[in-house]
Amino acid sequence: MSTGIFEKIEPLVDGNSKLRAPQRETFLALSKAAKSGEHREVGIVLPVGCGKSGCITLAPFAFKATRVLVVAPGVPIASQLHDDFDPTNPSCFYLKTAALNGRTYPEPVEIRGTSTNKGDLEEADVVITNIQQLQGEENRWLNSLPNDFFDLILFDEGHHSVAATWENLKTHFPSASIVNFSATPLRADGQKMAGEIIYSYPIFRAIQEGYVKRLKALVL
């Protein structure tokens, strides 16, 4: 069973100087969205370099989730996100920012190949994986997990979330709230990222506050 930490603990966000402005503002926007319940699926748009991974680690607290699924488009990003959640890792976001004061932290587990079993997932507060692990009609994870196993799904690089595999995942967990995070809400094929965009951090603010360098436009 999960520890219920996302329901029990309020992270230190407001006034936390170790958090970036878009991280604090994203948490506020998600908290409001969770309370209103107006949209099952919402979107967050953040330029690269503005702390998207940190926003993802704080999002479960905004929703007071029971168990969370975090889906990345590939293995490297999934591994990075696991490190951000993992309190045994020195680069853990909660440790770096003192967002959680105390000794209690979410229990993360990563789906990777055949090394993870269902029992590991049942003990976890947050499950991190790459989308390839959840593909296929006979996928062992989707076939073995009940439809209410997750009550929150977070998609990193959420502009991919309109693809068929991602849609199947949303359908399998019909009661889960969904948050898409992306720097580019439009796909290469012109499709828009799914969900109501509730927060977008402007690129000019990101430049002003030093999160990204000045951009140079190129005509191709």
Side-chain angles (χ1 to χ4, degrees):
M1 293 291 293
S2 67
T3 64
I5 185 174
F6 298 126
E7 302 168 87
K8 299 173 184 176
I9 294 181
E10 186 72 24
L12 179 59
V13 175
D14 188 28
N16 187 340
S17 61
K18 295 183 179 181
L19 294 179
R20 298 180 178 185
Q23 292 171 333
R24 293 191 295 269
E25 293 169 9
T26 293
F27 182 81
L28 179 60
L30 290 175
S31 297
K32 290 181 178 179
K35 289 178 181 177
S36 73
E38 183 178 357
H39 303 285
R40 180 200 176 193
E41 185 169 9
V42 298
I44 300 292
V45 180
L46 296 170
V48 175
C50 292
K52 176 160 55 74
S53 295
C55 292
I56 290 173
T57 65
L58 292 172
F61 291 98
F63 282 83
K64 300 188 182 302
T66 300
R67 187 183 289 109
V68 185
L69 175 64
V70 179
V71 185
V75 173
I77 295 178
S79 296
Q80 176 194 333
L81 287 168
H82 182 270
D83 289 346
D84 284 325
F85 276 101
D86 184 6
T88 66
N89 193 300
S91 64
C92 173
F93 180 79
Y94 301 129
L95 298 177
K96 290 191 302 181
T97 61
L100 298 184
N101 291 324
R103 299 178 181 177
T104 304
Y105 297 89
E107 181 67 33
V109 67
E110 188 174 13
I111 294 178
R112 180 71 59 80
T114 59
S115 61
T116 310
N117 58 54
K118 185 179 177 182
D120 296 328
L121 272 58
E122 291 174 337
E123 295 296 322
D125 298 298
V126 55
V127 177
I128 304 103
T129 191
N130 53 296
I131 189 61
Q132 292 80 10
Q133 296 288 342
L134 302 174
Q135 288 179 330
E137 293 182 4
E138 300 301 322
N139 185 272
R140 73 185 184 102
W141 295 115
L142 295 187
N143 288 340
S144 65
L145 298 178
N147 291 351
D148 60 352
F149 194 78
F150 298 107
D151 60 342
L152 178 64
I153 301 175
L154 307 176
F155 287 123
D156 194 2
E157 301 296 336
H159 55 284
H160 294 294
S161 69
V162 294
T165 302
W166 303 66
E167 289 298 328
N168 290 340
L169 186 59
K170 297 175 190 178
T171 302
H172 188 80
F173 301 105
S175 62
S177 298
I178 298 167
V179 184
N180 296 305
F181 293 85
S182 183
T184 53
L186 288 179
R187 286 161 49 101
D189 60 8
Q191 285 187 279
K192 184 181 178 183
M193 180 173 72
E196 181 75 13
I197 295 178
I198 60 169
Y199 178 77
S200 181
Y201 189 67
I203 189 67
F204 77 87
R205 280 189 64 191
I207 294 173
Q208 285 179 335
E209 298 187 27
Y211 300 136
V212 299
K213 297 179 180 179
R214 293 189 176 275
L215 303 180
K216 181 180 180 180
L218 296 176
V219 177
L220 299 180

